[in-house]
Amino acid sequence: MVLLDGKAAAEAMKKDIAGEVARWIGECGRKPHLAAIVVGQDPASLTYVRNKENDCRQVGMDSSVYRLSANISQEGLIECVRTLNEDPAVDGLIVQLPLPGHLNEQEIIETIDPSKDVDGFHPVNVGRMVLGLPSFVSATPAGISDLLDYYRIPTRGKECVIIGRSNIVGKPLANLLSRKGPGGDCTVTLCHSQTADLAKVCRRADILVAALGRPLFLKANMVKEGAVVIDVGITRIEDKSTKSGFRLAGDVDFEAVAPRCSYITPVPGGVGPMTRISLLKNTLQAALKRNQ
Ligand code: GUN
C-alpha cells in the first residue's frame, strides 16, 4: 500500500507555480491577485481562507480577504461581489462556502464574473467543463486529478466509483474522470444516498472516491483488493486519546481500509493540499488570460 502524499506533491507543485508567477510578474509588472470573501465566523471557513492567503504568499501572489458580518444582507454581499468583479487589480474571486442560511448561495455564485470565478462554481464554468471547453475546474476535483497524475496512476478504462453527488466534488469529478483523453477515460459510477447495495457497487471500483462528508463511512467490505482509494472528507471527531480530545477524520475508515488498497490518501495531508494547489493554478490562469 502506497500513501498518496498530497502534502509532498503540493509542495513540489508550489515550486513550479512560484516560478511561473515570477515570470508573469516580470512581464506584467504586478502580482496575480486572489480576493476571498468570507461571511461570518465559521471556524473551518476562517481556517481555509487563512490557508489560501498563506498559499498565495508562498508562491508570490497577492491576496485580500473581505471578512463580512454573518448578518450581511443578500444585497450587501452582491454589492461586494460586484465591486470586486469590477476591480481591475483582482484576477480571481472566491466566496467561501457555506454561507449563513439566510443567504442565497446560488445567486451569489452567479454574480461572480465567470472570468474571475477561480472556484469554477459559476454555471458558465461548470457548463464549459462538461462540454470539454477551456474553463475553471473546481479545486477539489482538479486536485484529485492532479494527484492521480502525479503518482502516474492510470485512469483509462478503469472503473471509478464516486460516493457523493455534490456540485463541488462528486458531479464535476464524475465529468473529469469520464472525459476523453489523459486523466479521463474512466467508466464512472456516481453513487448517492439512494444507491441500492452501495457496498456491492463500491467493490467494483478500481478507483474509489469517498466524498459524502460522513466520517469513517467507507469500510473494508466496500473495497476491492488493490483499489485506489481517495478520501475527500475531513471532519473533526471526538477522540479521548488525543490531547485536544479531537482528531480529523476522513470519510474512509483508514485503519481498516488501507491494508486492502494499492494507494490511499491520508486525512489530513491527502486531497486537501492538492485542492489548494488547484486554486493557485486557477488564479494564475485567470491572471494570464486577463493579460492576453
Ligand atoms: N467550501 C468548501 N470547499 C470550498 C471551495 O473549494 N471553495 C469555496 N469557495 N468554498 C468552499
Side-chain angles (χ1 to χ4, degrees):
M1 182 272 293
V2 174
L3 264 191
L4 293 170
D5 187 343
K7 200 168 166 202
E11 284 309 314
M13 289 177 191
K14 262 188 202 164
K15 292 206 175 83
D16 293 342
I17 295 170
E20 286 182 53
V21 168
R23 236 186 339 272
W24 189 87
I25 295 170
E27 277 173 27
C28 301
R30 68 174 183 89
K31 295 180 177 182
H33 183 162
L34 173 69
I37 299 174
V38 57
V39 181
Q41 298 296 322
D42 175 55
S45 289
L46 292 171
T47 303
Y48 290 144
V49 168
R50 202 173 325 115
N51 288 340
K52 289 168 187 177
E53 279 185 283
N54 288 337
D55 291 338
C56 284
R57 192 172 320 113
Q58 282 174 25
V59 299
M61 291 186 189
D62 270 341
S63 63
S64 45
V65 176
Y66 297 81
R67 294 180 179 81
L68 306 181
S69 154
N71 301 324
I72 192 164
S73 66
Q74 182 78 2
E75 295 68 32
L77 182 53
I78 285 178
E79 189 52 39
C80 183
V81 170
R82 288 206 174 121
T83 303
L84 293 168
N85 278 345
E86 281 154 28
D87 186 340
V90 170
D91 299 295
L93 167 58
I94 64 168
V95 179
Q96 189 65 31
L97 305 179
L99 292 172
H102 68 282
L103 296 170
N104 178 341
E105 223 164 72
Q106 192 57 31
E107 189 186 17
I108 299 299
I109 288 169
E110 292 188 33
T111 305
I112 298 173
D113 178 341
S115 73
K116 294 190 177 187
D117 168 40
V118 286
D119 260 332
F121 292 168
H122 192 287
V124 165
N125 281 312
V126 177
R128 290 181 65 88
M129 183 207 57
V130 171
L131 294 170
L133 298 170
S135 65
F136 294 117
V137 176
S138 65
T140 301
I144 292 170
S145 183
D146 281 353
L147 189 61
L148 293 172
D149 180 55
Y150 185 82
Y151 278 89
R152 306 253 177 279
I153 294 171
T155 55
R156 182 156 51 117
K158 300 297 179 190
E159 287 279 346
C160 175
V161 174
I162 301 167
I163 315 171
R165 56 181 157 183
S166 69
N167 290 342
I168 293 183
V169 184
K171 281 191 230 169
L173 184 62
N175 261 284
L176 269 191
L177 291 174
S178 58
R179 73 184 178 182
K180 206 179 172 90
D185 291 329
C186 281
T187 304
V188 175
T189 307
L190 184 56
C191 298
H192 45 72
S193 55
Q194 305 306 310
T195 297
D197 204 345
L198 180 64
K200 185 173 169 200
V201 177
C202 288
R203 278 196 298 272
R204 72 172 181 239
D206 302 308
I207 301 172
L208 181 54
V209 183
L212 68 161
R214 280 178 55 185
L216 312 178
F217 177 85
L218 194 85
K219 304 293 183 191
N221 71 330
M222 303 170 85
V223 180
K224 179 170 79 174
E225 190 75 41
V228 177
V229 171
I230 307 289
D231 190 349
V232 180
I234 187 155
T235 311
R236 217 168 80 124
I237 62 168
E238 199 173 310
D239 182 345
K240 293 206 167 76
S241 72
T242 66
K243 216 168 117 187
S244 63
F246 291 96
R247 72 178 168 98
L248 291 173
D251 288 353
V252 176
D253 185 350
F254 186 92
E255 298 302 323
V257 167
R260 297 185 66 77
C261 301
S262 54
Y263 296 89
I264 185 167
T265 57
V267 174
V271 171
M274 296 302 295
T275 296
R276 287 157 55 187
I277 287 295
S278 305
L279 183 65
L280 293 176
K281 282 184 172 180
N282 280 349
T283 305
L284 178 59
Q285 211 53 46
L288 286 167
K289 273 221 196 93
R290 281 161 53 75
N291 220 54
Q292 267 168 9

